[in-house]
Amino acid sequence: MVQRIFSEYLEGKGMDTIAKNLTDEEVPTPAMLIGKSNASTLWHSNTIKGILQNRHYVGDLVQNKTATISVTTTKRREVPEEEMTVHENTHEPIISKETFQVVQRQLKQRTRTDKNTTSRMLGRELCINHWKQAKGLASIKRINTTSPSFFNRKSHVYKRRSASYSI
C-alpha cells in the first residue's frame, strides 16, 4: 500500500485524489490496522502527506523529533531536522531512497511558501475589489465580527479576525 501511495503521487495525483481512491476501495486506514476503537474508514490527505514524509519507509530510524519546552510543563516543541538523531539502514526499506528523495522534492515544489493568512486574505480582498471595479459595483461593506479567517464561496463572505467583508 505504501508503495502504491508513493507511485500514485509520482504519477501526478494529488493527496486528496489518492485518499479518495483508497477510501473508495475500502483500504483500511492506519488507525484501523492498529485497532483503534475510534478509527475512521475514511482516508485523509494529511494521512497521505504523513506517509509521504515518513523516513521510516526508507529504513531509517529518526529519534528526538520533539523536546520538552520546560521541566514544569508537558508541552513539546518540534526540533529542527539537523538536531534530530538519525540511524540509517536500521531495518529493511519499503521504498528506495531515490524514490523518497524525488517525492520530497515534489512536495517542496507543490507546497505554498506564504503561510501568512492575512496576506492571502488581502489578496482575496484585492481580487474582489478589482472584480467589483470591473463590474462597476459598490465597494465591499464591512461587517464587524471576531470570527477566524475563512472564505465561504456559497455566500461570498470573506472573514478575517476582527472584521469580515461581504459582497
Side-chain angles (χ1 to χ4, degrees):
M1 177 201 52
V2 172
Q3 291 175 339
R4 176 181 165 192
I5 290 172
F6 273 84
S7 63
E8 286 185 13
Y9 189 78
L10 287 174
E11 290 171 8
K13 294 184 181 177
M15 291 181 226
D16 289 328
T17 305
I18 297 170
K20 184 181 182 314
N21 291 343
L22 292 172
T23 301
D24 291 345
E25 294 173 15
E26 298 179 358
V27 175
T29 62
M32 291 172 67
L33 290 175
I34 62 172
K36 284 194 171 182
S37 60
N38 61 347
S40 173
T41 58
L42 299 176
W43 280 83
H44 298 282
S45 60
N46 285 342
T47 306
I48 303 299
K49 187 174 183 178
I51 289 172
L52 291 173
Q53 292 177 330
N54 193 343
R55 290 182 61 176
H56 183 76
Y57 298 116
V58 294
D60 296 345
L61 175 64
V62 182
Q63 295 177 312
N64 302 326
K65 292 181 184 179
T66 61
T68 55
I69 294 172
S70 168
V71 293
T72 59
T73 182
T74 57
K75 293 181 181 178
R76 301 184 68 82
R77 65 172 175 83
E78 289 190 22
V79 173
E81 194 168 335
E82 51 273 354
E83 294 179 19
M84 293 180 192
T85 306
V86 179
H87 303 281
E88 294 186 0
N89 303 320
T90 57
H91 55 277
E92 189 170 337
I94 297 173
I95 301 295
S96 70
K97 289 193 186 228
E98 295 80 25
T99 304
F100 185 79
Q101 292 303 324
V102 170
V103 168
Q104 298 316 300
R105 281 194 296 274
Q106 284 190 3
L107 281 170
K108 268 189 181 175
Q109 289 174 351
R110 294 184 189 185
T111 303
R112 283 188 202 143
T113 56
D114 182 21
K115 303 283 186 205
N116 188 348
T117 56
T118 306
S119 65
R120 278 188 273 160
M121 287 304 298
L122 288 174
R124 287 184 183 145
E125 291 167 13
L126 289 173
C127 290
I128 296 170
N129 283 334
H130 285 101
W131 177 77
K132 285 188 170 194
Q133 287 173 0
K135 296 286 186 182
L137 300 173
S139 63
I140 299 172
K141 65 179 183 181
R142 184 180 171 131
I143 306 168
N144 288 327
T145 181
T146 56
S147 300
S149 301
F150 76 90
F151 167 58
N152 183 343
R153 288 177 191 242
K154 290 183 181 176
S155 64
H156 300 289
V157 175
Y158 299 78
K159 292 189 178 181
R160 213 166 42 179
R161 294 188 200 287
S162 61
S164 69
Y165 301 86
S166 178
I167 295 176

